[in-house]
Amino acid sequence: MAILVWLLLPVLFTDYTVAEKQSAFFIFGDSTVDAGNNNFIQTIPENKANYDPYGRNAPFQGPTGRFSDGLIVVDYLAEYAKLPMIPPFLDPSTSDDLSHGANFASGGSGILSTTNEGQAIDLNTQLKYFEQVAESLTTKMGASEAEQIISNAVYYFSIGSNDYLGGYLANPNMQQLYHPEQYVGMVLGNLTSSIQELYKKGARKFGFLGLSPLGCLPVMRSIAQEGCFEQANSLALAHNNALTTLLNNLEYLLKDFKYSNSDFYTWLLQRINDPSTYGFKEGKNACCGSGPFGGIFSCGGMKETTAYDLCEEADDYVWWDSFHPTQRIHQHFAQALWDGPQTTATLGPYSLRDLFFGPTTIADVVDADHPTF
Ligand SMILES: *[C@@H]1O[C@H](CO)[C@@H](O)[C@H](O)[C@H]1NC(C)=O
């Protein structure tokens, strides 16, 4: 029966080329893109978001483990790519059919396995989970069909913040062992290994969410003497610059390697410093939290005795809690990533739309993505 349906598919789909080209979406990262994996691991309360008021503005009921008042950037990207919502890999209710992709991200995780060790799913483990998915696709669909899905899929990374915040700035031992520039090199070295490993397995299309201005997170602003915590911003900038160079080099070295990079740092700083220009009212204070700038990470009373403040209208805010932006920021950023180079968000060379659907013609690529100066 299955074989019969499969044979009929080309006839049934009037728009066969689109169906054939639909790309799966595999997500690796930290709390910026965790859709609920941490609900299923043993960890500290700070690494979970499956309680009120998380998710209170989501278009579905209740908190899901997303570190937002609603949806997160990858939910919007999946919608624009005409995919179903990409499920958390560890959720037992997730279907076995992962041919549309899977989300491996875990709040608190880092690129280095030493970052928040034992409290999150580190990047290496996330890659092992992907390997399991690749094997099960091969078993279910056969090698050539699985290879097709893997080479056509988009691999999205949003990770690194925890390596610099918890892993370095809050870790005097690490600061003794490594100068900041050595540490950045080590983080990027490990990220490079992960990219190469996926490439060896057939991955070709990659997307990257650059680090935000980490020193301007409400939690970091609250411990800075004045303004943003500059050392955290410097590390984020150094990381983002190194990532841009790395990706540019990989494009030369790895055949058919395609990527979309983004400047979340500049894009978000514009909204933090000048919220009203972008349709927000508050750029510095968190909607949910306590203390100066809502910088004490107590949203939802995760530490039981801690009281917390909650704003009325999260849509007016850049920051939802002490570490994470609001759903509205996630949505605006997803739109900018999708639309591509005409926004400050996308560094290119491809937009997310290009990665999922392919540029329409060679001329489009030349015009839009590789402008000649
Ligand atoms: C990856 O990180 C570890 C520390 O966690 C370090 O010892 C190793 O050298 C790094 N690898 C690369 C390729 O930079």
Coordinates of all heavy atoms in Angstrom, one line a residue, residues 111-115 124 174 178 182 185-193 196, ligand 1:
I111 N 28.5 25.7 23.2 CA 29.2 25.0 22.2 C 30.3 24.1 22.8 O 30.5 23.0 22.4 CB 29.9 26.1 21.3 CG1 28.8 26.8 20.5 CG2 30.9 25.4 20.3 CD1 29.3 28.1 19.7
L112 N 30.9 24.6 23.9 CA 31.8 23.8 24.7 C 31.1 22.8 25.6 O 30.1 23.2 26.3 CB 32.8 24.7 25.5 CG 33.6 25.7 24.7 CD1 34.5 26.5 25.7 CD2 34.4 25.0 23.7
S113 N 31.6 21.6 25.7 CA 30.9 20.6 26.6 C 31.1 21.0 28.1 O 30.3 20.5 28.9 CB 31.4 19.2 26.3 OG 32.8 19.2 26.3
T114 N 32.1 21.9 28.4 CA 32.3 22.3 29.8 C 31.3 23.3 30.2 O 31.2 23.6 31.4 CB 33.7 22.9 29.9 OG1 33.9 23.8 28.9 CG2 34.8 21.8 29.8
T115 N 30.6 24.0 29.3 CA 29.6 25.0 29.7 C 28.4 24.4 30.3 O 27.7 23.6 29.7 CB 29.3 25.9 28.4 OG1 30.4 26.5 28.0 CG2 28.2 26.9 28.8
N124 N 27.6 18.6 21.3 CA 28.0 17.3 20.8 C 26.9 16.3 20.9 O 26.7 15.5 20.1 CB 29.2 16.8 21.6 CG 30.5 17.4 21.1 OD1 30.6 17.7 19.9 ND2 31.4 17.6 21.9
M174 N 38.1 29.5 34.4 CA 38.3 29.6 32.9 C 39.0 30.9 32.5 O 39.9 30.8 31.6 CB 36.9 29.6 32.3 CG 36.8 28.9 31.0 SD 37.5 27.3 30.8 CE 36.2 26.2 30.4
Y178 N 42.4 30.9 30.2 CA 42.4 31.3 28.8 C 42.2 32.9 28.7 O 41.3 33.4 29.4 CB 41.3 30.7 28.0 CG 41.3 29.2 28.0 CD1 40.5 28.4 28.8 CD2 42.2 28.5 27.1 CE1 40.6 27.0 28.8 CE2 42.3 27.2 27.0 CZ 41.5 26.4 27.9 OH 41.5 25.0 27.8
Q182 N 41.9 33.7 23.2 CA 42.1 32.2 23.1 C 40.7 31.5 23.3 O 40.5 30.5 22.6 CB 43.0 31.7 24.2 CG 44.4 32.1 24.1 CD 45.2 31.7 25.3 OE1 44.9 32.0 26.5 NE2 46.3 31.0 25.1
G185 N 38.6 31.6 20.3 CA 39.2 30.7 19.3 C 38.8 29.2 19.6 O 38.4 28.5 18.7
M186 N 38.7 28.9 20.9 CA 38.4 27.5 21.3 C 36.9 27.3 21.0 O 36.5 26.2 20.5 CB 38.7 27.3 22.7 CG 38.6 25.9 23.2 SD 39.5 25.8 24.8 CE 38.2 26.4 25.9
V187 N 36.0 28.3 21.3 CA 34.6 28.2 21.0 C 34.4 28.0 19.5 O 33.7 27.1 19.1 CB 33.8 29.4 21.6 CG1 32.4 29.4 21.1 CG2 33.9 29.4 23.1
L188 N 35.0 28.8 18.7 CA 34.8 28.8 17.3 C 35.4 27.5 16.7 O 34.9 26.9 15.8 CB 35.5 30.0 16.6 CG 34.6 31.2 16.3 CD1 33.5 30.8 15.3 CD2 33.9 31.7 17.5
G189 N 36.5 27.0 17.3 CA 37.1 25.7 16.9 C 36.1 24.6 17.1 O 36.0 23.7 16.2
N190 N 35.5 24.6 18.2 CA 34.5 23.5 18.4 C 33.2 23.6 17.5 O 32.7 22.6 17.1 CB 34.1 23.5 19.9 CG 35.0 22.7 20.8 OD1 34.8 21.6 21.2 ND2 36.2 23.3 21.1
L191 N 32.8 24.9 17.3 CA 31.7 25.1 16.3 C 32.1 24.6 14.9 O 31.3 24.0 14.3 CB 31.3 26.6 16.3 CG 30.1 26.9 15.5 CD1 28.8 26.1 15.9 CD2 29.8 28.4 15.5
T192 N 33.3 24.9 14.5 CA 33.8 24.4 13.2 C 33.7 22.9 13.1 O 33.3 22.4 12.1 CB 35.3 24.9 13.0 OG1 35.4 26.3 13.2 CG2 35.7 24.6 11.6
S193 N 34.2 22.2 14.2 CA 34.1 20.8 14.2 C 32.7 20.3 14.0 O 32.4 19.3 13.2 CB 34.6 20.2 15.5 OG 35.9 20.7 15.8
Q196 N 31.6 20.8 10.4 CA 32.3 19.8 9.5 C 31.7 18.5 9.6 O 31.5 17.7 8.6 CB 33.8 19.8 9.8 CG 34.5 21.0 9.3 CD 36.0 21.1 9.8 OE1 36.2 20.6 11.0 NE2 36.9 21.6 9.1
Ligands
LIG1 C1 37.1 22.3 21.9 O1 37.0 22.6 23.2 C2 37.8 21.9 24.1 C3 37.5 22.3 25.5 O2 36.1 22.1 25.8 C4 39.3 22.2 23.7 O3 40.1 21.4 24.6 C5 39.5 21.8 22.3 O4 40.8 22.2 21.9 C6 38.5 22.5 21.4 N1 38.6 22.1 20.0 C7 39.0 22.9 19.0 C8 39.0 22.2 17.6 O5 39.2 24.1 19.2

